[in-house]
Amino acid sequence: MSVFEAILLTIITASTPLVIAGLGELVVERSGVLNLGVEGMMIIGAVAAFVGAQMSGSPYLGLLTGIVAGGLFSLLFGFLTLTLVTNQVATGLALTILGLGLSGMIGEGYVSVPGVQLHEIVFPFLSDIPFLGPVLFKQDLTFYLSIALLVGVNWFLFRSRAGLKLRAVGDSHGSAHALGIDVIRTRYLAVMFGGACAGLAGAQLSLVYTPQWVENMSAGRGWVTLALVVFASWRPMRVLAGGYLFGAVTILQFHAQGFGVGIPSQFLSMLPYASTIVVLVIISQNRRATLINTPASLGKAFVPER
Amino acid sequence: MRIELEKRPQVSKLFGLLSPLLALALALVAGTIMFAVMGKDPVEALDAFFVEPLLEVWSLHELAIKAGPLILIAVGLCLCYRSNNWNIGAEGQFTMGAVAGSFIPIVFTDWHSPIILPLMLIAGAIGGALYAAIPALLKAHFNTNEILTSLMLVYIAQLFLDWLSRGPWRDPQGHNFPQSIDFPPEAVLPAIWEDSGRAHWGIVFAVIAAILAWFVMKYTLKGFEISVLGQSARAGRFAGFSSRKMVWFAFLVSGALSGLAGISEVSGSIGHLQPAISPGYGFTAIIVAFLARLNPLGAILSGLVLALTYLGGEAAQLSPGISAKAASVFQGLLLFFVLSCDTLIYYKIRLVWSRVRGGAA
């Protein structure tokens, strides 16, 4: 395996959680809800997946635990913002603060316990294709899931009736309600889908990326995910592109440290965060493009008239 | 069962006062359940967490030490959030304030003068304000989401501090600890009542800031401008207020207060610079601000409550069976309950038991 191939494989591993959580949040925001709690749901998914895999001995059951935990945790956000119409920004923050604390408490006994790793699935013959084989056909389940999610979300949003309704809810909840669409229910489902995706992304971190439990191991990826959705201007394909871009920056930064570039490691570690800011600035400067794609009801509470 | 909201004809003053208390009570109930689930006697645990720290003079001093930065930061956040500017990066501004203020005693080691301390405090406030100026600039002129930029800057600030205290500012005689030299006595924020405990002037700054901010909000045109622009940028424009200038104002003020909190913490209770200087004050202050219902005076009280959770968490580490993380879980729960209880101010909550939608849609 060439060095280039090895780097590419680590980039894929670093990008997968961003793509998965990003697609989840994209659906949530398309429904008009701004859930800033991705970081919290992700870390809950990570700890749940780790503990689940430890208890069952199966990384796949761990993965499932992560997904379920993320989905259930997001319900807390859904209940507050959708049923009790609390401020979405503040509630998302609350979800993150609670998630970081709760995951620390749950994972306390699991620090420095050797983890269960989710191994790659090898497709016979196909994986022998030079270069493409290992990249496309010798990956762990989460990579295939991220691709399936991409195709699925794209199809759902732009080709299915339910997706059309979801976008209607996000663009004008008042009109959607008048048309007889259950706004609250649609949003609950979207929020839970986003939570499940964030949970899966977290599970990838503690089962694939670094198969162990470290407190705060999401390290701001949830927030990067939120920037990613803005970067993607709410388009699934662009989430993929952006996710891989961010993944590449993260990995190249590690390799630069390994090669002993004369820059202190802390400055290299700043790169993913700094580049997120730079990208956000470039994107948001184009006011018209952002306005066209932003779901018009994003972040606004909906109380049905009775 | 379904929950339905009915908008109150008038905002409920009663629940405006009750909601923080109700939230606190609910969080305590949730905490009790949490301790019970952890297999700990809830009464004993709550006592260790929330009562014992209040019974001794030295720990009241510790309470003041922890409440100081929380209140200072939260006061700034109250103004910020009132004006609809979402500064989430106070933790980074706190860090950069600490760095900017520490610069003086660490770099000019031979300089001894009584003006060092005031200069440090000013430098700290300026450092925090300058760091907050980045998201302000990006929001005001490039329309960039301030939540994400201010948050990314937290990670950058922490890495910068890490580099400084392990690299150029590391004390060569520091016995291999990654920390700067200890500040000389004239660069240390003095204790208020030296005989009874460690509490330093940070808490006094906090109370003064809270009163000033409350006065500004209640009695000045600036305060009116903040609320108008916060409620509706459009209405503000008609009144001739500039939301762009407000972005700058909100971020610079909250950044300066966070920076002041940072340098006060470092020079008052730590005494040197090190990679970790904050147990998440910048984020906990968000809870303080909301528990205070974005009222600067209320932040004094809610800052003390949240400070107590830190003390309780430290005390819990000593008694077996309670996780030190319980404090941050409690803080998160508290914010959830605060937000839910605030719904009662604007809405009546009705439980509907039938499966059929009540009334015509």
Side-chain angles (χ1 to χ4, degrees):
Chain A
M1 193 160 47
S2 68
V3 178
F4 177 69
E5 217 173 85
I7 292 181
L8 191 67
L9 286 177
T10 46
I11 289 178
I12 292 176
T13 312
S15 310
T16 301
L18 297 176
V19 173
I20 293 174
L23 286 168
E25 179 67 13
L26 182 139
V27 171
V28 178
E29 293 193 14
R30 277 280 185 174
S31 81
V33 178
L34 181 65
N35 185 354
L36 294 184
V38 181
E39 180 85 2
M41 302 187 295
M42 206 185 249
I43 197 73
I44 284 291
V47 76
F50 189 86
V51 174
Q54 287 291 325
M55 285 176 141
S56 65
S58 153
Y60 290 99
L61 281 176
L63 212 57
L64 192 67
T65 323
I67 296 172
V68 172
L72 287 179
F73 196 54
S74 74
L75 265 182
L76 217 54
F77 174 85
F79 179 70
L80 257 72
T81 58
L82 301 175
T83 301
L84 296 180
V85 292
T86 59
N87 180 310
Q88 294 181 8
V89 173
T91 312
L93 287 171
L95 199 69
T96 292
I97 292 173
L98 183 63
L100 290 173
L102 208 57
S103 65
M105 202 159 101
I106 296 169
E108 221 167 24
Y110 292 90
V111 181
S112 71
V113 170
V116 183
Q117 184 160 14
L118 189 69
H119 285 289
E120 54 272 320
I121 300 167
V122 182
F123 285 81
F125 307 118
L126 286 173
S127 60
D128 296 333
I129 305 171
F131 185 68
L132 275 185
V135 170
L136 291 180
F137 300 106
K138 203 180 160 192
Q139 295 280 357
D140 64 277
L141 181 63
T142 57
F143 168 77
Y144 301 120
L145 283 176
S146 73
I147 302 301
L149 270 174
L150 175 73
V151 176
V153 166
N154 211 21
W155 174 85
F156 169 81
L157 280 179
F158 303 110
R159 295 272 179 276
S160 80
R161 209 179 151 76
L164 182 69
K165 283 184 180 169
L166 180 123
R167 283 188 291 138
V169 166
D171 276 328
S172 169
H173 47 215
S175 320
H177 178 68
L179 284 171
I181 301 172
D182 193 335
V183 174
I184 304 289
R185 204 178 79 130
T186 309
R187 289 191 170 162
Y188 258 108
L189 291 173
V191 164
M192 279 183 74
F193 176 75
C197 285
L200 173 59
Q204 197 267 7
L205 293 178
S206 65
L207 296 176
V208 181
Y209 194 66
T210 43
Q212 53 180 320
W213 168 249
V214 183
E215 208 183 312
N216 296 344
M217 66 184 294
S218 49
R221 284 187 187 81
W223 296 103
V224 171
T225 296
L226 286 156
L228 192 60
V229 179
V230 180
F231 167 81
S233 51
W234 296 271
R235 304 234 153 227
M237 276 310 286
R238 294 185 200 167
V239 168
L240 184 80
Y244 276 80
L245 196 70
F246 284 116
V249 173
T250 314
I251 292 304
L252 294 179
Q253 165 253 125
F254 282 130
H255 283 281
Q257 289 182 19
F259 285 126
V261 179
I263 303 171
S265 66
Q266 289 94 340
F267 285 89
L268 292 167
S269 303
M270 288 176 195
L271 274 177
Y273 308 113
S275 50
T276 304
I277 296 177
V278 171
V279 164
L280 275 174
V281 172
I282 295 171
I283 297 294
S284 49
Q285 243 188 318
N286 191 344
R287 236 170 239 254
R288 210 186 315 146
T290 17
L291 279 184
I292 287 176
N293 288 311
T294 315
S297 297
L298 187 60
K300 293 182 189 141
F302 174 72
V303 186
E305 298 271 326
R306 287 198 174 87
Chain B
M1 191 192 83
R2 215 174 52 240
I3 295 171
E4 280 188 357
L5 299 182
E6 190 185 329
K7 204 164 179 90
R8 290 180 194 275
Q10 270 163 346
V11 172
S12 163
K13 282 223 171 96
L14 176 69
F15 276 108
L17 290 172
L18 272 186
S19 118
L21 300 176
L22 198 60
L24 209 55
L26 284 171
L28 282 176
V29 171
T32 312
I33 296 171
M34 184 175 83
F35 287 131
V37 168
M38 284 159 66
K40 189 82 189 161
D41 179 9
V43 178
E44 200 180 307
L46 285 179
D47 183 60
F49 227 91
F50 297 107
V51 182
E52 267 168 40
L54 292 174
L55 297 182
E56 283 185 69
V57 178
W58 70 267
S59 70
L60 286 176
H61 276 262
E62 297 300 309
L63 190 72
I65 288 176
K66 299 217 155 41
L70 288 175
I71 298 168
L72 257 181
I73 302 170
V75 165
L77 294 184
C78 285
L79 298 186
C80 233
Y81 297 167
R82 277 273 184 100
S83 71
N84 209 13
N85 286 296
W86 293 92
N87 179 8
I88 307 299
E91 182 83 3
Q93 292 140 26
F94 177 95
T95 305
M96 285 314 218
V99 167
S102 308
F103 163 76
I104 298 170
I106 293 174
V107 174
F108 305 110
T109 40
D110 295 332
W111 189 32
H112 301 282
S113 158
I115 64 161
I116 287 182
L117 192 63
L119 279 181
M120 283 166 65
L121 296 174
I122 293 168
I126 293 177
L130 283 180
Y131 206 55
I134 303 171
L137 174 84
L138 299 180
K139 180 179 181 182
H141 296 276
F142 300 102
N143 195 30
T144 311
N145 182 314
E146 77 274 24
I147 298 175
L148 295 174
T149 51
S150 62
L151 211 119
M152 292 291 128
L153 288 166
V154 172
Y155 294 96
I156 293 177
Q158 284 169 343
L159 285 163
F160 184 67
L161 171 64
D162 190 82
W163 171 69
L164 277 179
S165 41
R166 287 174 204 276
W169 285 4
R170 183 176 186 150
D171 178 10
Q173 271 98 50
H175 306 287
N176 271 331
F177 284 115
Q179 61 181 50
S180 77
I181 55 157
D182 283 328
F183 293 175
E186 64 271 16
V188 170
L189 203 56
I192 313 177
W193 300 283
E194 209 156 334
D195 308 332
S196 56
R198 301 197 307 144
H200 55 75
W201 280 80
I203 183 78
V204 179
F205 299 155
V207 172
I208 293 173
I211 293 172
L212 278 179
W214 169 77
F215 183 81
V216 167
M217 282 305 296
K218 201 164 166 90
Y219 294 110
T220 65
L221 181 64
K222 195 78 197 167
F224 180 65
E225 192 182 331
I226 292 173
S227 343
V228 171
L229 281 172
Q231 272 155 26
S232 160
R234 219 170 108 82
R237 265 202 304 282
F238 286 128
F241 300 144
S242 156
S243 43
R244 186 178 281 195
K245 277 188 194 152
M246 184 51 71
V247 172
W248 281 103
F249 176 80
F251 270 87
L252 289 181
V253 169
S254 64
L257 291 177
S258 303
L260 181 62
I263 185 60
S264 305
E265 175 74 8
V266 168
S267 86
S269 49
I270 302 178
H272 54 252
L273 215 53
Q274 60 189 34
I277 54 169
S278 159
Y281 285 136
F283 295 110
T284 307
I286 298 173
I287 307 177
V288 173
F290 276 101
L291 183 61
R293 311 219 48 259
L294 303 185
N295 177 334
L297 276 191
I300 298 178
L301 210 62
S302 63
L304 287 168
V305 171
L306 267 302
L308 188 57
T309 64
Y310 276 123
L311 276 194
E314 280 175 14
Q317 275 174 308
L318 302 175
S319 66
I322 309 179
S323 161
K325 299 289 171 309
S328 49
V329 174
F330 183 82
Q331 293 177 355
L333 283 174
L334 187 57
L335 184 50
F336 265 109
F337 286 119
V338 168
L339 294 169
S340 341
C341 289
D342 273 5
T343 300
L344 288 169
I345 300 172
Y346 304 99
Y347 297 97
K348 271 184 211 160
I349 293 183
R350 260 201 329 228
L351 298 180
V352 182
W353 295 93
S354 71
R355 292 180 58 88
V356 193
R357 191 177 284 267

